[in-house]
Amino acid sequence: MYDHPAGQSRATLDSTVHYYCAVGATKVFGIQISEAHYKACLYAGLCVSGSNAEVMPAQWEYQVGPCPGTAMGDELWVSRYILHRVAEDFGVIVTLDPKPMPGDWNGAGGHCNFSTSRMKAENGMKVMEEAIQRLEKRHKEHIILYDPSGGVDNSRRLTGLHETAHIDQFFWGVAHRGASIRIPRGVAQG
């Protein structure tokens, strides 16, 4: 099993400050894979809307959607299959591990953005706050269910550092990158 990002060895890894959402051939690795994956998803008719470099070298994210209803789940699964197939062509192994590198690195989380017609209507922020309160009541149960290892894997990522809430805490905020649930500023301002 490989223990380092594509394009790097463990010996050459530097701190996050050099790679955080970077550009350039000496700081960003795997752009060819990201672009090939994006194009393959579009060719397959999937609803993908972007991709970008992340914190760690060779760490990429892509956005699925916007999709109606539960179609997002199908689009996500098929896009992940395509990602693994594209990566094979480049001789790279994809990981969905929430903390693929130990140490002072951000992890990798699945961010889900959603809304309902009531959330988009007048007084939508109140509807969002009510939904968030319901999610908070089952936070521990959800953490266990979101993780194939019953929360063990996510406990490595959700430390309260690196733009995350601690796994045992639940809070939300407007434009708060460390919150369990982040409401975009434009949404909160109506």
Side-chain angles (χ1 to χ4, degrees):
M1 186 71 155
Y2 294 104
D3 65 350
H4 57 276
Q8 293 283 292
S9 71
R10 282 185 83 70
T12 60
L13 285 174
D14 205 344
S15 75
T16 61
V17 71
H18 299 290
Y19 306 107
Y20 197 101
C21 301
V23 295
T26 62
K27 303 292 180 209
V28 176
F29 309 98
I31 192 168
Q32 299 88 348
I33 298 167
S34 178
E35 289 178 351
H37 170 251
Y38 187 76
K39 290 174 185 175
C41 286
L42 291 175
Y43 183 78
L46 298 181
C47 186
V48 292
S49 55
S51 67
N52 56 277
E54 266 295 331
V55 178
M56 201 166 65
Q59 182 184 25
W60 290 84
E61 74 173 37
Y62 63 97
Q63 294 78 42
V64 175
C67 301
T70 58
M72 185 280 307
D74 294 336
E75 302 261 340
L76 178 62
W77 276 105
V78 174
S79 70
R80 285 180 173 179
Y81 169 79
I82 291 171
L83 177 60
H84 284 276
R85 290 291 293 120
V86 166
E88 285 179 26
D89 290 342
F90 288 89
V92 171
I93 298 170
V94 171
T95 180
L96 301 175
D97 188 282
K99 185 77 172 184
M101 289 290 296
D104 191 23
W105 296 99
N106 287 41
H111 309 286
C112 301
N113 303 313
F114 74 94
S115 60
T116 66
S117 56
R118 289 184 56 221
M119 290 176 179
K120 295 181 210 176
E122 190 173 335
N123 297 315
M125 191 65 186
K126 182 176 187 272
V127 175
M128 286 181 235
E129 290 173 11
E130 291 167 355
I132 290 168
Q133 289 170 3
R134 288 192 300 274
L135 288 169
E136 181 177 18
K137 290 177 183 173
R138 299 183 75 177
H139 173 68
K140 288 184 184 196
E141 179 183 346
H142 291 164
I143 287 292
I144 290 168
L145 293 173
Y146 297 154
D147 184 336
S149 299
V152 173
D153 290 342
N154 273 326
S155 68
R156 293 183 286 116
R157 181 179 75 87
L158 299 174
T159 61
L161 303 172
H162 304 104
E163 301 176 316
T164 69
H166 191 276
I167 194 166
D168 293 326
Q169 297 174 329
F170 180 96
F171 69 95
W172 68 277
V174 174
H176 191 305
R177 294 190 59 82
S180 308
I181 295 180
R182 177 175 62 197
I183 307 287
R185 190 175 313 281
V187 170
Q189 293 172 342

mmCIF file of all heavy atoms in Angstrom, residues 133-171:
data_model
loop_
_atom_site.group_PDB
_atom_site.id
_atom_site.type_symbol
_atom_site.label_atom_id
_atom_site.label_comp_id
_atom_site.label_asym_id
_atom_site.label_seq_id
_atom_site.Cartn_x
_atom_site.Cartn_y
_atom_site.Cartn_z
ATOM 1 N N GLN A 133 -31.373 21.503 14.574
ATOM 2 C CA GLN A 133 -31.636 21.036 15.940
ATOM 3 C C GLN A 133 -31.985 19.552 15.953
ATOM 4 O O GLN A 133 -31.560 18.808 16.850
ATOM 5 C CB GLN A 133 -32.751 21.865 16.581
ATOM 6 C CG GLN A 133 -32.321 23.283 16.912
ATOM 7 C CD GLN A 133 -33.488 24.174 17.312
ATOM 8 O OE1 GLN A 133 -34.638 23.730 17.403
ATOM 9 N NE2 GLN A 133 -33.205 25.449 17.540
ATOM 10 N N ARG A 134 -32.740 19.102 14.949
ATOM 11 C CA ARG A 134 -33.069 17.672 14.867
ATOM 12 C C ARG A 134 -31.816 16.840 14.583
ATOM 13 O O ARG A 134 -31.641 15.757 15.145
ATOM 14 C CB ARG A 134 -34.146 17.439 13.806
ATOM 15 C CG ARG A 134 -35.516 17.943 14.237
ATOM 16 C CD ARG A 134 -36.632 17.454 13.334
ATOM 17 N NE ARG A 134 -36.487 17.864 11.954
ATOM 18 C CZ ARG A 134 -36.913 19.019 11.445
ATOM 19 N NH1 ARG A 134 -37.502 19.907 12.219
ATOM 20 N NH2 ARG A 134 -36.748 19.292 10.174
ATOM 21 N N LEU A 135 -30.941 17.342 13.711
ATOM 22 C CA LEU A 135 -29.691 16.625 13.434
ATOM 23 C C LEU A 135 -28.809 16.549 14.676
ATOM 24 O O LEU A 135 -28.186 15.518 14.945
ATOM 25 C CB LEU A 135 -28.928 17.306 12.296
ATOM 26 C CG LEU A 135 -29.518 17.144 10.902
ATOM 27 C CD1 LEU A 135 -28.817 18.080 9.925
ATOM 28 C CD2 LEU A 135 -29.416 15.704 10.438
ATOM 29 N N GLU A 136 -28.761 17.628 15.430
ATOM 30 C CA GLU A 136 -27.913 17.665 16.630
ATOM 31 C C GLU A 136 -28.309 16.586 17.635
ATOM 32 O O GLU A 136 -27.457 15.968 18.268
ATOM 33 C CB GLU A 136 -27.998 19.039 17.280
ATOM 34 C CG GLU A 136 -27.131 19.178 18.514
ATOM 35 C CD GLU A 136 -27.165 20.577 19.105
ATOM 36 O OE1 GLU A 136 -28.097 21.348 18.788
ATOM 37 O OE2 GLU A 136 -26.254 20.886 19.878
ATOM 38 N N LYS A 137 -29.605 16.329 17.767
ATOM 39 C CA LYS A 137 -30.089 15.331 18.729
ATOM 40 C C LYS A 137 -29.573 13.928 18.421
ATOM 41 O O LYS A 137 -29.494 13.091 19.315
ATOM 42 C CB LYS A 137 -31.617 15.332 18.758
ATOM 43 C CG LYS A 137 -32.208 16.578 19.384
ATOM 44 C CD LYS A 137 -33.716 16.559 19.324
ATOM 45 C CE LYS A 137 -34.274 17.860 19.887
ATOM 46 N NZ LYS A 137 -35.724 17.958 19.711
ATOM 47 N N ARG A 138 -29.223 13.670 17.160
ATOM 48 C CA ARG A 138 -28.769 12.326 16.774
ATOM 49 C C ARG A 138 -27.326 12.339 16.270
ATOM 50 O O ARG A 138 -26.915 11.454 15.532
ATOM 51 C CB ARG A 138 -29.721 11.775 15.718
ATOM 52 C CG ARG A 138 -31.145 11.684 16.296
ATOM 53 C CD ARG A 138 -32.122 11.095 15.358
ATOM 54 N NE ARG A 138 -31.895 9.662 15.291
ATOM 55 C CZ ARG A 138 -32.647 8.849 14.582
ATOM 56 N NH1 ARG A 138 -33.648 9.308 13.896
ATOM 57 N NH2 ARG A 138 -32.376 7.566 14.536
ATOM 58 N N HIS A 139 -26.565 13.346 16.687
ATOM 59 C CA HIS A 139 -25.196 13.513 16.208
ATOM 60 C C HIS A 139 -24.350 12.252 16.400
ATOM 61 O O HIS A 139 -23.709 11.777 15.458
ATOM 62 C CB HIS A 139 -24.543 14.710 16.898
ATOM 63 C CG HIS A 139 -23.094 14.864 16.589
ATOM 64 N ND1 HIS A 139 -22.637 15.207 15.337
ATOM 65 C CD2 HIS A 139 -21.984 14.698 17.363
ATOM 66 C CE1 HIS A 139 -21.311 15.253 15.349
ATOM 67 N NE2 HIS A 139 -20.901 14.954 16.563
ATOM 68 N N LYS A 140 -24.331 11.701 17.587
ATOM 69 C CA LYS A 140 -23.478 10.527 17.854
ATOM 70 C C LYS A 140 -23.895 9.341 16.987
ATOM 71 O O LYS A 140 -23.048 8.633 16.446
ATOM 72 C CB LYS A 140 -23.504 10.169 19.334
ATOM 73 C CG LYS A 140 -22.744 11.180 20.159
ATOM 74 C CD LYS A 140 -22.660 10.802 21.603
ATOM 75 C CE LYS A 140 -21.984 11.944 22.265
ATOM 76 N NZ LYS A 140 -21.452 11.977 23.418
ATOM 77 N N GLU A 141 -25.186 9.139 16.842
ATOM 78 C CA GLU A 141 -25.681 8.045 15.997
ATOM 79 C C GLU A 141 -25.262 8.264 14.540
ATOM 80 O O GLU A 141 -24.829 7.331 13.866
ATOM 81 C CB GLU A 141 -27.200 7.968 16.109
ATOM 82 C CG GLU A 141 -27.812 6.880 15.260
ATOM 83 C CD GLU A 141 -29.329 6.871 15.332
ATOM 84 O OE1 GLU A 141 -29.913 7.522 16.221
ATOM 85 O OE2 GLU A 141 -29.931 6.204 14.472
ATOM 86 N N HIS A 142 -25.375 9.483 14.066
ATOM 87 C CA HIS A 142 -25.001 9.772 12.681
ATOM 88 C C HIS A 142 -23.506 9.569 12.456
ATOM 89 O O HIS A 142 -23.096 9.013 11.429
ATOM 90 C CB HIS A 142 -25.394 11.207 12.314
ATOM 91 C CG HIS A 142 -26.871 11.408 12.237
ATOM 92 N ND1 HIS A 142 -27.450 12.649 12.251
ATOM 93 C CD2 HIS A 142 -27.891 10.527 12.168
ATOM 94 C CE1 HIS A 142 -28.767 12.529 12.177
ATOM 95 N NE2 HIS A 142 -29.055 11.254 12.126
ATOM 96 N N ILE A 143 -22.676 10.007 13.395
ATOM 97 C CA ILE A 143 -21.225 9.830 13.260
ATOM 98 C C ILE A 143 -20.891 8.350 13.084
ATOM 99 O O ILE A 143 -20.065 7.982 12.253
ATOM 100 C CB ILE A 143 -20.485 10.428 14.484
ATOM 101 C CG1 ILE A 143 -20.501 11.956 14.419
ATOM 102 C CG2 ILE A 143 -19.073 9.893 14.600
ATOM 103 C CD1 ILE A 143 -19.670 12.562 13.303
ATOM 104 N N ILE A 144 -21.551 7.495 13.850
ATOM 105 C CA ILE A 144 -21.306 6.051 13.743
ATOM 106 C C ILE A 144 -21.750 5.532 12.377
ATOM 107 O O ILE A 144 -21.047 4.759 11.727
ATOM 108 C CB ILE A 144 -22.029 5.305 14.885
ATOM 109 C CG1 ILE A 144 -21.338 5.633 16.217
ATOM 110 C CG2 ILE A 144 -22.062 3.808 14.638
ATOM 111 C CD1 ILE A 144 -22.116 5.200 17.443
ATOM 112 N N LEU A 145 -22.896 5.998 11.905
ATOM 113 C CA LEU A 145 -23.441 5.506 10.637
ATOM 114 C C LEU A 145 -22.690 6.041 9.418
ATOM 115 O O LEU A 145 -22.658 5.388 8.383
ATOM 116 C CB LEU A 145 -24.923 5.865 10.532
ATOM 117 C CG LEU A 145 -25.833 5.156 11.532
ATOM 118 C CD1 LEU A 145 -27.250 5.705 11.447
ATOM 119 C CD2 LEU A 145 -25.824 3.647 11.300
ATOM 120 N N TYR A 146 -22.103 7.238 9.516
ATOM 121 C CA TYR A 146 -21.393 7.825 8.380
ATOM 122 C C TYR A 146 -20.068 7.125 8.111
ATOM 123 O O TYR A 146 -19.446 7.366 7.087
ATOM 124 C CB TYR A 146 -21.073 9.305 8.632
ATOM 125 C CG TYR A 146 -22.254 10.228 8.790
ATOM 126 C CD1 TYR A 146 -22.124 11.397 9.519
ATOM 127 C CD2 TYR A 146 -23.471 9.958 8.218
ATOM 128 C CE1 TYR A 146 -23.192 12.270 9.680
ATOM 129 C CE2 TYR A 146 -24.540 10.823 8.374
ATOM 130 C CZ TYR A 146 -24.393 11.972 9.107
ATOM 131 O OH TYR A 146 -25.436 12.836 9.251
ATOM 132 N N ASP A 147 -19.598 6.333 9.025
ATOM 133 C CA ASP A 147 -18.244 5.785 8.989
ATOM 134 C C ASP A 147 -18.315 4.266 8.943
ATOM 135 O O ASP A 147 -18.893 3.643 9.834
ATOM 136 C CB ASP A 147 -17.526 6.264 10.260
ATOM 137 C CG ASP A 147 -16.076 5.865 10.357
ATOM 138 O OD1 ASP A 147 -15.668 4.875 9.736
ATOM 139 O OD2 ASP A 147 -15.344 6.556 11.088
ATOM 140 N N PRO A 148 -17.727 3.627 7.927
ATOM 141 C CA PRO A 148 -17.783 2.164 7.864
ATOM 142 C C PRO A 148 -17.121 1.489 9.066
ATOM 143 O O PRO A 148 -17.373 0.329 9.340
ATOM 144 C CB PRO A 148 -17.037 1.807 6.581
ATOM 145 C CG PRO A 148 -16.569 3.055 5.973
ATOM 146 C CD PRO A 148 -17.021 4.204 6.807
ATOM 147 N N SER A 149 -16.299 2.233 9.802
ATOM 148 C CA SER A 149 -15.643 1.684 10.991
ATOM 149 C C SER A 149 -16.331 2.156 12.273
ATOM 150 O O SER A 149 -15.715 2.172 13.343
ATOM 151 C CB SER A 149 -14.166 2.091 11.006
ATOM 152 O OG SER A 149 -13.500 1.586 9.876
ATOM 153 N N GLY A 150 -17.578 2.575 12.176
ATOM 154 C CA GLY A 150 -18.349 2.947 13.359
ATOM 155 C C GLY A 150 -17.879 4.208 14.056
ATOM 156 O O GLY A 150 -18.080 4.372 15.249
ATOM 157 N N GLY A 151 -17.239 5.102 13.343
ATOM 158 C CA GLY A 151 -16.772 6.359 13.911
ATOM 159 C C GLY A 151 -15.274 6.401 14.154
ATOM 160 O O GLY A 151 -14.707 7.474 14.371
ATOM 161 N N VAL A 152 -14.616 5.255 14.108
ATOM 162 C CA VAL A 152 -13.179 5.199 14.386
ATOM 163 C C VAL A 152 -12.377 5.981 13.347
ATOM 164 O O VAL A 152 -11.473 6.746 13.690
ATOM 165 C CB VAL A 152 -12.697 3.729 14.458
ATOM 166 C CG1 VAL A 152 -11.185 3.646 14.587
ATOM 167 C CG2 VAL A 152 -13.367 3.007 15.609
ATOM 168 N N ASP A 153 -12.700 5.793 12.073
ATOM 169 C CA ASP A 153 -11.954 6.494 11.027
ATOM 170 C C ASP A 153 -12.171 8.002 11.108
ATOM 171 O O ASP A 153 -11.222 8.784 11.006
ATOM 172 C CB ASP A 153 -12.343 5.985 9.636
ATOM 173 C CG ASP A 153 -11.842 4.580 9.370
ATOM 174 O OD1 ASP A 153 -10.928 4.120 10.086
ATOM 175 O OD2 ASP A 153 -12.375 3.929 8.453
ATOM 176 N N ASN A 154 -13.411 8.416 11.300
ATOM 177 C CA ASN A 154 -13.685 9.846 11.375
ATOM 178 C C ASN A 154 -13.112 10.491 12.631
ATOM 179 O O ASN A 154 -12.872 11.694 12.649
ATOM 180 C CB ASN A 154 -15.184 10.128 11.268
ATOM 181 C CG ASN A 154 -15.627 10.266 9.834
ATOM 182 O OD1 ASN A 154 -14.874 10.758 8.995
ATOM 183 N ND2 ASN A 154 -16.834 9.828 9.546
ATOM 184 N N SER A 155 -12.850 9.714 13.668
ATOM 185 C CA SER A 155 -12.250 10.301 14.871
ATOM 186 C C SER A 155 -10.821 10.780 14.589
ATOM 187 O O SER A 155 -10.332 11.683 15.253
ATOM 188 C CB SER A 155 -12.251 9.298 16.031
ATOM 189 O OG SER A 155 -11.369 8.231 15.773
ATOM 190 N N ARG A 156 -10.167 10.206 13.581
ATOM 191 C CA ARG A 156 -8.832 10.676 13.192
ATOM 192 C C ARG A 156 -8.906 12.034 12.494
ATOM 193 O O ARG A 156 -7.971 12.819 12.543
ATOM 194 C CB ARG A 156 -8.142 9.665 12.268
ATOM 195 C CG ARG A 156 -7.806 8.369 12.958
ATOM 196 C CD ARG A 156 -7.053 7.391 12.039
ATOM 197 N NE ARG A 156 -7.956 6.796 11.052
ATOM 198 C CZ ARG A 156 -7.860 6.972 9.738
ATOM 199 N NH1 ARG A 156 -6.903 7.712 9.225
ATOM 200 N NH2 ARG A 156 -8.713 6.396 8.927
ATOM 201 N N ARG A 157 -10.026 12.317 11.819
ATOM 202 C CA ARG A 157 -10.182 13.571 11.083
ATOM 203 C C ARG A 157 -10.850 14.648 11.921
ATOM 204 O O ARG A 157 -10.435 15.806 11.912
ATOM 205 C CB ARG A 157 -11.007 13.330 9.816
ATOM 206 C CG ARG A 157 -11.209 14.588 8.979
ATOM 207 C CD ARG A 157 -11.994 14.316 7.720
ATOM 208 N NE ARG A 157 -13.401 14.130 7.942
ATOM 209 C CZ ARG A 157 -14.308 15.101 7.982
ATOM 210 N NH1 ARG A 157 -13.952 16.354 7.820
ATOM 211 N NH2 ARG A 157 -15.568 14.822 8.183
ATOM 212 N N LEU A 158 -11.893 14.295 12.634
ATOM 213 C CA LEU A 158 -12.684 15.279 13.382
ATOM 214 C C LEU A 158 -12.065 15.512 14.755
ATOM 215 O O LEU A 158 -12.549 15.042 15.777
ATOM 216 C CB LEU A 158 -14.137 14.794 13.506
ATOM 217 C CG LEU A 158 -14.870 14.609 12.175
ATOM 218 C CD1 LEU A 158 -16.235 13.984 12.404
ATOM 219 C CD2 LEU A 158 -14.978 15.924 11.432
ATOM 220 N N THR A 159 -10.996 16.286 14.772
ATOM 221 C CA THR A 159 -10.225 16.515 15.985
ATOM 222 C C THR A 159 -10.473 17.888 16.600
ATOM 223 O O THR A 159 -9.990 18.169 17.692
ATOM 224 C CB THR A 159 -8.723 16.408 15.678
ATOM 225 O OG1 THR A 159 -8.379 17.418 14.719
ATOM 226 C CG2 THR A 159 -8.362 15.033 15.145
ATOM 227 N N GLY A 160 -11.189 18.732 15.900
ATOM 228 C CA GLY A 160 -11.338 20.122 16.327
ATOM 229 C C GLY A 160 -10.261 21.013 15.719
ATOM 230 O O GLY A 160 -10.273 22.219 15.883
ATOM 231 N N LEU A 161 -9.316 20.398 15.021
ATOM 232 C CA LEU A 161 -8.269 21.125 14.311
ATOM 233 C C LEU A 161 -8.528 21.010 12.813
ATOM 234 O O LEU A 161 -9.404 20.267 12.377
ATOM 235 C CB LEU A 161 -6.894 20.525 14.639
ATOM 236 C CG LEU A 161 -6.521 20.472 16.122
ATOM 237 C CD1 LEU A 161 -5.240 19.672 16.309
ATOM 238 C CD2 LEU A 161 -6.365 21.878 16.666
ATOM 239 N N HIS A 162 -7.734 21.692 12.025
ATOM 240 C CA HIS A 162 -7.786 21.557 10.563
ATOM 241 C C HIS A 162 -9.193 21.767 10.002
ATOM 242 O O HIS A 162 -9.686 20.983 9.202
ATOM 243 C CB HIS A 162 -7.250 20.189 10.121
ATOM 244 C CG HIS A 162 -5.870 19.924 10.607
ATOM 245 N ND1 HIS A 162 -5.612 19.077 11.649
ATOM 246 C CD2 HIS A 162 -4.681 20.419 10.221
ATOM 247 C CE1 HIS A 162 -4.314 19.043 11.877
ATOM 248 N NE2 HIS A 162 -3.723 19.855 11.017
ATOM 249 N N GLU A 163 -9.847 22.819 10.444
ATOM 250 C CA GLU A 163 -11.169 23.194 9.920
ATOM 251 C C GLU A 163 -12.222 22.120 10.155
ATOM 252 O O GLU A 163 -13.030 21.825 9.279
ATOM 253 C CB GLU A 163 -11.074 23.532 8.427
ATOM 254 C CG GLU A 163 -10.119 24.664 8.134
ATOM 255 C CD GLU A 163 -9.945 24.939 6.661
ATOM 256 O OE1 GLU A 163 -9.806 23.979 5.880
ATOM 257 O OE2 GLU A 163 -9.956 26.124 6.300
ATOM 258 N N THR A 164 -12.205 21.530 11.340
ATOM 259 C CA THR A 164 -13.235 20.557 11.694
ATOM 260 C C THR A 164 -13.734 20.833 13.104
ATOM 261 O O THR A 164 -13.025 21.392 13.929
ATOM 262 C CB THR A 164 -12.713 19.099 11.677
ATOM 263 O OG1 THR A 164 -11.792 18.910 12.754
ATOM 264 C CG2 THR A 164 -12.079 18.742 10.355
ATOM 265 N N ALA A 165 -14.958 20.402 13.362
ATOM 266 C CA ALA A 165 -15.446 20.342 14.734
ATOM 267 C C ALA A 165 -14.892 19.052 15.342
ATOM 268 O O ALA A 165 -14.534 18.122 14.619
ATOM 269 C CB ALA A 165 -16.971 20.309 14.743
ATOM 270 N N HIS A 166 -14.816 18.985 16.665
ATOM 271 C CA HIS A 166 -14.411 17.742 17.323
ATOM 272 C C HIS A 166 -15.525 16.721 17.156
ATOM 273 O O HIS A 166 -16.714 17.075 17.157
ATOM 274 C CB HIS A 166 -14.119 17.990 18.806
ATOM 275 C CG HIS A 166 -13.462 16.823 19.457
ATOM 276 N ND1 HIS A 166 -14.173 15.763 19.945
ATOM 277 C CD2 HIS A 166 -12.154 16.543 19.663
ATOM 278 C CE1 HIS A 166 -13.341 14.872 20.440
ATOM 279 N NE2 HIS A 166 -12.102 15.320 20.282
ATOM 280 N N ILE A 167 -15.170 15.465 17.029
ATOM 281 C CA ILE A 167 -16.148 14.403 16.771
ATOM 282 C C ILE A 167 -17.245 14.354 17.837
ATOM 283 O O ILE A 167 -18.376 13.983 17.547
ATOM 284 C CB ILE A 167 -15.450 13.037 16.613
ATOM 285 C CG1 ILE A 167 -16.417 12.010 16.011
ATOM 286 C CG2 ILE A 167 -14.852 12.564 17.940
ATOM 287 C CD1 ILE A 167 -15.762 10.749 15.520
ATOM 288 N N ASP A 168 -16.935 14.730 19.062
ATOM 289 C CA ASP A 168 -17.913 14.672 20.151
ATOM 290 C C ASP A 168 -18.744 15.949 20.275
ATOM 291 O O ASP A 168 -19.621 16.025 21.142
ATOM 292 C CB ASP A 168 -17.200 14.412 21.483
ATOM 293 C CG ASP A 168 -16.571 13.028 21.522
ATOM 294 O OD1 ASP A 168 -17.140 12.090 20.936
ATOM 295 O OD2 ASP A 168 -15.483 12.910 22.119
ATOM 296 N N GLN A 169 -18.468 16.950 19.455
ATOM 297 C CA GLN A 169 -19.190 18.215 19.529
ATOM 298 C C GLN A 169 -20.013 18.420 18.265
ATOM 299 O O GLN A 169 -19.638 17.962 17.194
ATOM 300 C CB GLN A 169 -18.217 19.379 19.677
ATOM 301 C CG GLN A 169 -17.401 19.333 20.949
ATOM 302 C CD GLN A 169 -16.347 20.426 20.967
ATOM 303 O OE1 GLN A 169 -15.825 20.827 19.942
ATOM 304 N NE2 GLN A 169 -16.031 20.900 22.166
ATOM 305 N N PHE A 170 -21.094 19.114 18.414
ATOM 306 C CA PHE A 170 -21.927 19.477 17.274
ATOM 307 C C PHE A 170 -22.251 20.951 17.398
ATOM 308 O O PHE A 170 -22.739 21.405 18.424
ATOM 309 C CB PHE A 170 -23.230 18.670 17.272
ATOM 310 C CG PHE A 170 -24.121 19.001 16.109
ATOM 311 C CD1 PHE A 170 -24.113 18.235 14.961
ATOM 312 C CD2 PHE A 170 -24.977 20.092 16.161
ATOM 313 C CE1 PHE A 170 -24.931 18.539 13.890
ATOM 314 C CE2 PHE A 170 -25.793 20.419 15.087
ATOM 315 C CZ PHE A 170 -25.766 19.626 13.954
ATOM 316 N N PHE A 171 -21.923 21.706 16.376
ATOM 317 C CA PHE A 171 -22.359 23.093 16.342
ATOM 318 C C PHE A 171 -22.436 23.542 14.893
ATOM 319 O O PHE A 171 -21.873 22.935 13.996
ATOM 320 C CB PHE A 171 -21.460 24.009 17.190
ATOM 321 C CG PHE A 171 -20.074 24.215 16.652
ATOM 322 C CD1 PHE A 171 -19.769 25.315 15.874
ATOM 323 C CD2 PHE A 171 -19.060 23.308 16.944
ATOM 324 C CE1 PHE A 171 -18.487 25.516 15.392
ATOM 325 C CE2 PHE A 171 -17.777 23.501 16.471
ATOM 326 C CZ PHE A 171 -17.493 24.606 15.692
#
